[in-house]
Amino acid sequence: MSNQAPDASLSVVLIDDDRYILDSLATILEADGNISVAATSTSGKDALALYRQYLPDVMLLDIRMPEMSGLAAAEVLLTAHPQATVVFLTT
């Protein structure tokens, strides 16, 4: 039994260009019960808009993606929202 209140979950936005990885990560994280995946995207270009829309506790970004890498997306995101928490993922 957890000591956390049911609504005390950690919200996450996931961005990875591999749909299989994205769906797998969402399933794994939400199985915890204290983590909610607010949104997912396959494009680094969506990072800023999704952050503004959902204000997640954590933004999980794949490093290597076409069009805009996770590193580039994080630079834009952290410039606009320095308080954001970004975690990078790569395979």
Side-chain angles (χ1 to χ4, degrees), residues 10-72:
L10 182 74
S11 65
V12 178
V13 169
L14 302 173
I15 301 180
D16 193 304
D17 63 320
D18 185 322
R19 176 54 70 181
Y20 178 76
I21 298 293
L22 194 63
D23 292 343
S24 297
L25 282 171
T27 299
I28 291 166
L29 291 172
E30 289 190 326
D32 177 89
N34 291 316
I35 300 173
S36 64
V37 177
T40 64
S41 176
T42 57
S43 172
K45 290 183 175 182
D46 293 339
L48 186 58
L50 289 174
Y51 184 84
R52 285 182 181 152
Q53 182 176 355
Y54 294 99
L55 297 174
D57 298 308
V58 176
M59 175 72 75
L60 182 64
L61 293 169
D62 184 13
I63 290 177
R64 294 189 299 181
M65 293 185 283
E67 297 182 40
M68 179 178 261
S69 73
L71 296 173

